[in-house]
């Protein structure tokens, strides 16, 4: 199987693909880690406002040295800056926004996703205790939920499964899965493979996926 | 009525063994660091803490944890705290993980006299196990309970001598809800000003919720992840 490249290239492909989903005027919540990088690839001519669940609308770029402010962080606890028009609010208001369906797009990572659009990303029993943070609220409340993740584990095991095995973050909540190998839409009939990475075939992607993929009649090559 | 106390030690004088305490902050941002240090000095035991995180190893609520003062913690994310993870896996502390929005709303509800509410968050997952669910307009929701505490420890940027509070940027986070949900709410502020100096239209937490207030002795204002871009 001709699985493309280094981690950085993989991430770049995923991030750029999701950035193309952004629409002018969107309010977007980007999860910790890889999803945060989407902010660097907002298409020209489009304005989006980034929400941070710790109580901010209007996240700007990382500050330059000397401008960092301990009172101004994102949900990953990284120092950030503010855009003109930024607002701050309490965590209760922040999650009212999220739960109330006011966030257009939520992008987050996952350890497992399954063919019913359920995902797991917060706990490995007996091994890892981190907590769900805001992920359960985001997947329950955002209008559209996109999972950004590598297609397989480091050991090469599939992460897109028939049924998740880890404790769930949400049930039937994922709309789209973007990996370095493919772009997959969750439908009521199952997972539809809509795009494959350059140099890969639908069969290559299926071999790295436990769940059965329905190949779209309009299968395309992922632009990067 | 005198709400101003001299310092953090005086403010926590009656925090008792076994108390339930809410502690504001998102990680180290906006946490009442002077009150936490005073609780460590006081050595209060068997605390049940309600705070989004448990600080980091060696700072914030992590100090209380390392001193063995916490027996039960309720929060949403503890990934920054290796010691806690070890204690949970060994079974030496009870940890209840709550989705962050549910956590915030439980505290808001507790302070607002709402004993329970229904939320879509967590339906079908571990967090909904054993809880009442109900369908509204074709969607399933799970019932969650309001939360209150014996003491709420909050941090604000400015406060006046009557207890009106103004927070700054993302240091606001859980502080406003917690201020409403403590039987005794104690506020530490960076700047304590006279009554009348704050604009009434800008107050985030009205004085009614705050029982004690003081200007913090020392604000380290530690940054967890200093991330920068090139100038």
């Amino acid at each position: 199987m001709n699985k493309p490249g280094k981690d950085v290239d993989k991430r770049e492909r995923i991030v750029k693909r999701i950035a193309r989903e952004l629409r002018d005027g969107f309010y977007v919540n980007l999860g910790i880690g890889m999803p945060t990088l989407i902010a660097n690839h907002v298409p020209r001519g489009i304005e989006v406002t980034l929400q941070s669940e710790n109580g901010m609308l209007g996240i700007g770029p990382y500050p330059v040295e000397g401008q960092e402010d301990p009172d101004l962080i994102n949900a990953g606890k990284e120092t950030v800056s503010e855009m003109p028009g930024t607002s701050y609010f309490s965590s209760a208001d922040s999650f009212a926004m999220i739960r109330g369906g006011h966030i257009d797009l939520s992008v987050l990572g996952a350890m497992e996703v399954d063919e019913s659009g359920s995902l797991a990303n917060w706990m490995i029993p007996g091994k890892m205790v981190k907590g769900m943070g805001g992920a359960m609220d985001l997947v329950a409340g955002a209008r559209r939920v996109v999972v950004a993740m590598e297609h397989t584990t480091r050991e090469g095991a599939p992460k897109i499964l028939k049924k998740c095995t880890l404790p769930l973050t949400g049930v039937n909540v994922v709309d789209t899965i973007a990996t370095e190998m493919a772009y997959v839409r969750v439908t009521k009939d199952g997972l539809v493979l809509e795009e494959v990475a350059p140099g890969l075939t639908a069969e290559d992607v299926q071999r790295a996926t436990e769940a059965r993929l329905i190949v779209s009649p309009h299968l395309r090559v992922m632009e990067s | 009525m005198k709400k101003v106390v001299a310092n953090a030690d005086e403010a926590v004088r009656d925090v008792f063994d076994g108390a339930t305490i809410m502690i504001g902050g998102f990680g180290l941002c906006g946490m009442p660091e002077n009150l936490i240090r005073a609780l460590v000095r006081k050595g209060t035991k068997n605390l049940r803490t309600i705070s989004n995180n448990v600080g980091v190893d060696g700072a914030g609520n992590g100090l209380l944890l390392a001193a063995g003062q916490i027996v039960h913690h309720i929060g949403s994310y503890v990934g920054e705290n290796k010691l806690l993870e070890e204690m949970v896996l060994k079974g030496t502390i009870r940890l209840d993980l709550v989705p962050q929005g549910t956590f915030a709303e439980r505290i808001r509800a507790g302070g607002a006299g709402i004993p329970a509410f229904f939320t879509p968050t967590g339906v079908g997952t571990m967090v909904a196990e054993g809880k009442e669910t109900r369908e509204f307009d074709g969607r399933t929701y799970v019932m969650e309970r309001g939360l209150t505490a014996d003491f709420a420890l909050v941090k604000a940027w400015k406060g006046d001598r009557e207890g009106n509070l103004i927070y700054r940027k993302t240091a606001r986070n859980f502080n406003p809800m917690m201020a409403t949900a403590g039987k005794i709410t104690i506020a530490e502020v960076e700047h304590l000003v006279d009554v009348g100096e704050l604009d009434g239209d800008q107050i985030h937490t009205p004085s009614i919720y705050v029982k004690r207030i003081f200007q913090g002795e020392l604000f380290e204002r530690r940054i967890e992840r200093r991330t920068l871009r090139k100038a």
Side-chain angles (χ1 to χ4, degrees), chain A residues 62-63 68-73 76-79 82 88 91 95 99 128-133 137 140, chain B residues 29 53 76-78 80 85 100-102 119 121 139 168-170 172-173 221 224-229:
Chain A
Y62 293 136
E68 63 272 34
D69 181 342
D71 291 340
L72 183 41
I73 63 169
K77 301 177 179 93
E78 299 171 326
T79 46
E82 60 183 23
Y88 298 103
S91 301
F95 283 95
R99 216 187 295 103
M128 183 195 90
V129 184
K130 291 202 186 302
M132 66 292 278
D137 307 278
Chain B
C29 180
N53 314 84
S76 87
Y77 188 76
V78 294
E80 261 75 60
E85 193 168 32
Q100 199 168 115
T102 299
T119 174
T121 302
R139 191 172 183 195
R168 187 172 172 273
K169 302 185 187 284
T170 56
R172 188 181 320 183
N173 55 67
R221 288 164 36 94
E224 265 178 72
R225 300 222 169 94
R226 188 178 302 270
T227 40
L228 302 169
R229 77 186 134 101

Side-chain angles (χ1 to χ4, degrees), chain A residues 27-55:
Chain A
Y27 288 91
V28 179
N29 183 291
L30 301 176
I32 296 169
M34 176 168 39
T36 306
L37 304 173
I38 293 168
N40 302 330
H41 297 278
V42 178
R44 201 183 291 257
I46 280 182
E47 276 183 32
V48 298
T49 305
L50 300 179
Q51 199 254 16
S52 195
E53 62 265 31
N54 54 316

Side-chain angles (χ1 to χ4, degrees), chain A residues 93-134:
Chain A
D93 286 330
S94 179
F95 283 95
M97 251 170 232
I98 290 168
R99 216 187 295 103
H102 306 280
I103 299 292
D104 295 293
L105 179 68
S106 164
V107 184
L108 69 179
M111 298 191 281
E112 296 177 348
V113 189
D114 70 25
E115 58 190 19
S116 66
S118 299
L119 82 160
N121 74 355
W122 67 283
M123 183 192 197
I124 304 173
K127 260 198 202 157
M128 183 195 90
V129 184
K130 291 202 186 302
M132 66 292 278

